[in-house]
Amino acid sequence: MTGFPKAGSALETAWKASLAKVPDGPAEQAGVTFGQRAARHIVKLRANDGRGASVPFTPAPAPGVWRPTPPQYEGFATAWIGRLRPFLMEEPGQFRPGPPPALTSSQYARDLAEVQAYGARNGSLRSAGQTETARFVARVEIQQALGDHAARHGFDITETARLYAVANTVITDAMIAAWDAKLHYGTWRPITAIREADTDGNPATRADPAWEPLLTTPAHPDYLSGHATWAGALMRALEELFGTSRVDLYIHSAGTGTTRHYEYAADYVRDVVDARVWAGIHTRTADVVGSHTGEKVAAWSLRRYFQRT
């Protein structure tokens, strides 16, 4: 619990409540001892892994290059994620994709036109349903969904532990892969690209200095979309683990207070890819390439780890 001091009280309460359900005696104490030993081992393995390290983002501001965005204009403080020691991958750049579309390309112009039209806070072409999806995806509770799936499908303690281990290590490595690309390519966000479109050298783009996205832009580059990358990774990992594309997840969103049922993995990935465009915070290419990169991370990982013996 020392690794998460702000959550210490809540974790202590949850731990005691969990133990209260187990009869006192040697078996309970043996379980506690084994769990504590496993925890110490994990903490030792992750020592000096780069978490929270100072990783500067040095490119000078120029057309196409990321810079802090309104309203907070925060720096790229999470850059360390792109240099974090992975759990499963060999190194952060193992699945780094090729570069994003050139500023002068037609694909770049299409990407920008779509997010400009559908991701705007005001005057958007977005439907009410698309707006709800953008808000839903922004704050999903994946751990709850995994626990619910395990309970409904009668997973035992080993199967449940494997599910959480697969999901969370693959999600973490996918985030590392996404942040490696963010550091490497450092592309500007839609809000900057749209407001400064008259500097990109592309005659097919249109500048709007007052444009604002539906949701506040996070403080890191566009390419890759972290959310789309981990969504692609998680869903591919679940497909590999379950042996089917049917994931049967009830996912709750703290953003909308609603729950959606996703029968198939592809349905959730589709919603995430669309949602980040409709939220006005990512280009479609950053989402699509992100989801494909996440799928590669998961496929590679599940071929090497978590195999049943």
Side-chain angles (χ1 to χ4, degrees), residues 1-2 22 94 101 119 142 172 185 201-202 224 289:
M1 297 181 191
T2 57
V22 182
Q94 182 176 349
I142 292 298
T172 301
Y185 295 113
N202 192 324
L224 300 172
V289 178

Side-chain angles (χ1 to χ4, degrees), residues 149-163:
H149 179 98
R152 287 188 294 105
H153 289 266
F155 283 20
D156 62 23
I157 191 169
T158 301
E159 292 169 325
T160 303
R162 181 182 288 112
L163 173 62

Side-chain angles (χ1 to χ4, degrees), residues 52-173:
S54 177
V55 177
F57 180 79
T58 58
V65 176
W66 181 85
R67 75 286 310 267
T69 56
Q72 285 86 18
Y73 293 95
E74 297 175 1
F76 190 7
T78 59
W80 59 267
I81 298 174
R83 296 295 175 263
L84 188 66
R85 174 159 37 93
F87 279 85
L88 307 173
M89 297 188 301
E90 294 168 353
E91 53 90 19
Q94 182 176 349
F95 295 97
R96 183 186 297 162
L103 295 185
T104 55
S105 68
S106 58
Q107 183 177 347
Y108 174 83
R110 288 193 300 271
D111 274 351
L112 203 62
E114 181 185 24
V115 71
Q116 189 169 5
Y118 285 88
R121 181 174 301 174
N122 301 307
S124 172
L125 297 181
R126 239 181 5 257
S127 68
Q130 289 168 338
T131 298
E132 201 275 343
T133 295
R135 296 189 184 281
F136 177 91
V137 164
R139 297 178 60 195
V140 289
E141 298 175 350
I142 292 298
Q143 305 304 320
Q144 182 185 84
L146 296 174
D148 172 75
H149 179 98
R152 287 188 294 105
H153 289 266
F155 283 20
D156 62 23
I157 191 169
T158 301
E159 292 169 325
T160 303
R162 181 182 288 112
L163 173 62
Y164 277 114
V166 167
N168 287 289
T169 52
V170 165
I171 284 174
T172 301
D173 274 15

Side-chain angles (χ1 to χ4, degrees), residues 212-266:
E212 293 185 338
L214 172 67
L215 301 183
T216 300
T217 301
H220 39 78
D222 176 55
Y223 186 87
L224 300 172
S225 161
H227 207 124
T229 305
W230 74 249
L234 173 62
M235 292 300 147
R236 178 60 183 273
L238 295 182
E239 287 180 325
E240 295 284 341
L241 189 65
F242 299 159
T244 174
S245 60
R246 182 177 179 269
V247 293
D248 184 25
L249 291 178
Y250 286 92
I251 299 179
H252 182 76
S253 169
T256 60
T258 59
T259 299
R260 293 187 179 188
H261 179 246
Y262 287 95
E263 187 75 10
Y264 295 98

Side-chain angles (χ1 to χ4, degrees), residues 270-295:
R270 178 206 62 225
D271 272 4
V272 171
V273 168
D274 287 339
R276 305 315 264 174
V277 175
W278 297 336
I281 59 176
H282 275 299
T283 58
R284 183 165 295 276
T285 294
D287 294 332
V288 171
V289 178
S291 67
H292 291 167
T293 299
E295 290 171 6

